[in-house]
Amino acid sequence: MEYKLLYSVLEVFVLGISLGEARIQVSTNDLDVLVGDSSTFHLSWKDAESPVVVEFSIDHSDLIHLDPVHVKLDPNQNVSVAVYGDVAGHAVVSSNIIPHVDGANDVFVRVTVQHSYAIYYTSIVVGWIYFLAWSISFYPQVYMNWKRKSVVGLNFDFLALNLMGFVLYSLFNGGLYWIRDVENEYLERNPKGLNPVQINDIVFSLHACFATCVTVAQCFIYERAGQTVSKVAGGIIVICALFLGISLIIAIVEVITWLTFLYFCSYVKLATTLIKYVPQAYMNYRRKSTVGWSIGNIFLDFTGGTLSMLQMILNSYNYNDWASIFGDPTKFGLGLFSVAFDILFMIQHYILYRDQQEYIEINGDNIPVPKEDLPEPVLS
């Protein structure tokens, strides 16, 4: 049989299976193999007095094949099993142990078949670059506010919605990563899956909260020309708070699980991501100026969003998993939505409002002031 030039990463998740003190063990939790070649993991039957037979089944047998497809394990014997990747994609190898042992169904192998090592490592590099771009993107605005000693031009609705979104994102990530009961509940719902929250998600969300709080603090220190959070944004925040408050109560009384509550937090975060840029874009349009709104922030956000979508495309091709984009378009759509607004902000900054004006508040109205008439420290 001929094979395309691919390789697979095999993640083996095996819970110890005991019959008295007897248990089945697998030699490694991670196994890389090129399609057309093979790599090996080992099964061992420890502290046993009688043999067992392990039969493997594959949910997508067109993607991978094993040799052998079943093994007999004598007491304290070690047996090798080769895994071959045939087509890019994801497959799960389940096991049936004879005679039956309680918990035997928890012994499984999750296989990810990839096209190439180059794409895999490129995806990792792209992921770290967009992580850094998004992390740094908060600071051009912080620096601009400090330099101007003013937050005029920074929309407070955007800031409030952004802060709420990152707080909820941190709650979701922290709950799923640090709270063992919540993680166990997720794994019960997805018994052959991985915890989707990794340490870089925790670091990013907590850092985003910190940086946004710094920007909020600047709004209390520097000139803001009477800017406040609008009634519309305030109403949205109140509605979200009521929804999550009720959800929290029914989670406490165990009507819903804590994992479900955290999912509700993530849904509100996604909703705020969809709307948070609108107030700033409208404010720039109304003022006919982007003064006070950092273009450096936009460039970094654009870089992060573009690379995030690029990574999704690379992974989809490498794993032949286009359903992750077209079957569940939320993450890709949010990235595309953010990039579209970044492009709009660039158009506003460099094309529509090139002759920018600063604004001051007089009797409650924003009055444009030509650049040449402004004090030098006010300009960015």
Side-chain angles (χ1 to χ4, degrees):
M1 180 178 181
E2 295 182 2
Y3 303 106
K4 300 178 181 178
L5 182 57
L6 313 166
Y7 90 95
S8 67
V9 175
L10 176 66
E11 297 179 357
V12 181
F13 298 93
V14 177
L15 302 179
I17 303 303
S18 62
L19 184 60
E21 295 297 324
R23 61 191 183 278
I24 291 181
Q25 294 181 334
V26 173
S27 60
T28 181
N29 289 331
D30 297 282
L31 187 66
D32 297 344
V33 56
L34 283 172
V35 176
D37 197 354
S38 68
S39 190
T40 303
F41 68 89
H42 307 281
L43 282 177
S44 58
W45 181 225
K46 299 290 186 180
D47 302 322
E49 297 180 356
S50 59
V52 294
V53 173
V54 180
E55 296 180 340
F56 299 109
S57 61
I58 306 170
D59 63 345
H60 296 291
S61 57
D62 57 322
L63 303 184
I64 63 172
H65 67 276
L66 308 179
D67 184 22
V69 295
H70 65 271
V71 298
K72 178 183 177 181
L73 290 173
D74 292 321
N76 300 313
Q77 182 186 15
N78 187 301
V79 174
S80 299
V81 179
V83 181
Y84 298 84
D86 300 328
V87 179
H90 301 276
V92 176
V93 178
S94 301
S95 63
N96 179 35
I97 300 177
I98 303 172
H100 178 74
V101 180
D102 290 341
N105 291 334
D106 293 327
V107 178
F108 63 89
V109 175
R110 193 174 68 180
V111 181
T112 302
V113 187
Q114 304 180 59
H115 278 287
S116 85
Y117 283 112
I119 296 176
Y120 172 75
Y121 288 114
T122 299
S123 175
I124 292 177
V125 172
V126 167
W128 277 107
I129 293 175
Y130 84 68
F131 172 82
L132 292 174
W134 270 342
S135 297
I136 298 171
S137 68
F138 297 94
Y139 292 102
Q141 186 67 57
V142 172
Y143 174 75
M144 173 179 280
N145 296 342
W146 171 79
K147 183 180 179 182
R148 299 169 68 236
K149 301 298 186 289
S150 171
V151 292
V152 176
L154 172 62
N155 187 271
F156 286 13
D157 291 358
F158 164 79
L159 203 56
L161 293 171
N162 215 24
L163 180 59
M164 180 178 70
F166 284 127
V167 168
L168 295 177
Y169 188 43
S170 297
L171 284 176
F172 175 81
N173 288 337
L176 207 51
Y177 188 81
W178 279 315
I179 302 177
R180 182 60 58 84
D181 289 343
V182 174
E183 181 182 22
N184 289 339
E185 183 184 346
Y186 177 85
L187 294 177
E188 287 177 5
R189 294 189 187 185
N190 306 273
K192 297 177 181 178
L194 281 173
N195 189 330
V197 177
Q198 302 300 316
I199 187 62
N200 60 309
D201 298 311
I202 296 289
V203 173
F204 173 77
S205 58
L206 291 178
H207 172 262
C209 283
F210 167 77
T212 306
C213 286
V214 170
T215 311
V216 170
Q218 290 180 317
C219 295
F220 291 95
I221 298 173
Y222 299 139
E223 172 60 36
R224 58 180 179 175
Q227 293 181 131
T228 60
V229 176
S230 72
K231 293 181 179 179
V232 174
I236 292 173
I237 293 172
V238 169
I239 291 172
C240 292
L242 288 174
F243 168 70
L244 293 176
I246 294 172
S247 301
L248 177 62
I249 292 172
I250 62 177
I252 291 174
V253 299
E254 299 183 350
V255 174
I256 63 173
T257 64
W258 286 108
L259 179 61
T260 300
F261 170 73
L262 291 177
Y263 275 132
F264 287 167
C265 292
S266 71
Y267 298 153
V268 174
K269 196 277 178 191
L270 292 176
T272 59
T273 301
L274 284 173
I275 64 175
K276 68 180 183 179
Y277 294 104
V278 175
Q280 184 67 58
Y282 177 72
M283 182 180 185
N284 294 345
Y285 162 76
R286 182 173 56 84
R287 297 170 69 234
K288 301 297 185 291
S289 172
T290 59
V291 171
W293 175 239
S294 172
I295 196 64
N297 169 30
I298 298 306
F299 276 124
L300 288 168
D301 189 65
F302 177 82
T303 300
T306 302
L307 292 180
S308 173
M309 292 188 294
L310 174 61
Q311 186 189 54
M312 292 184 67
I313 293 172
L314 288 173
N315 290 341
S316 295
Y317 170 75
N318 207 26
Y319 309 139
N320 196 27
D321 185 22
W322 296 103
S324 63
I325 294 179
F326 301 111
D328 183 14
T330 302
K331 182 178 179 180
F332 189 84
L334 287 173
L336 185 62
F337 190 82
S338 298
V339 167
F341 263 100
D342 291 332
I343 293 174
L344 172 62
F345 289 131
M346 293 178 193
I347 292 173
Q348 286 182 325
H349 185 83
Y350 290 108
I351 299 176
L352 298 179
Y353 313 132
R354 292 181 62 185
D355 297 326
Q356 301 185 37
Q357 296 174 314
E358 182 67 90
Y359 280 68
I360 61 174
E361 185 182 19
I362 299 177
N363 297 327
D365 295 324
N366 284 327
I367 307 299
V369 179
K371 287 183 177 180
E372 59 269 18
D373 294 338
L374 289 171
E376 183 65 25
V378 178
L379 292 177
S380 59

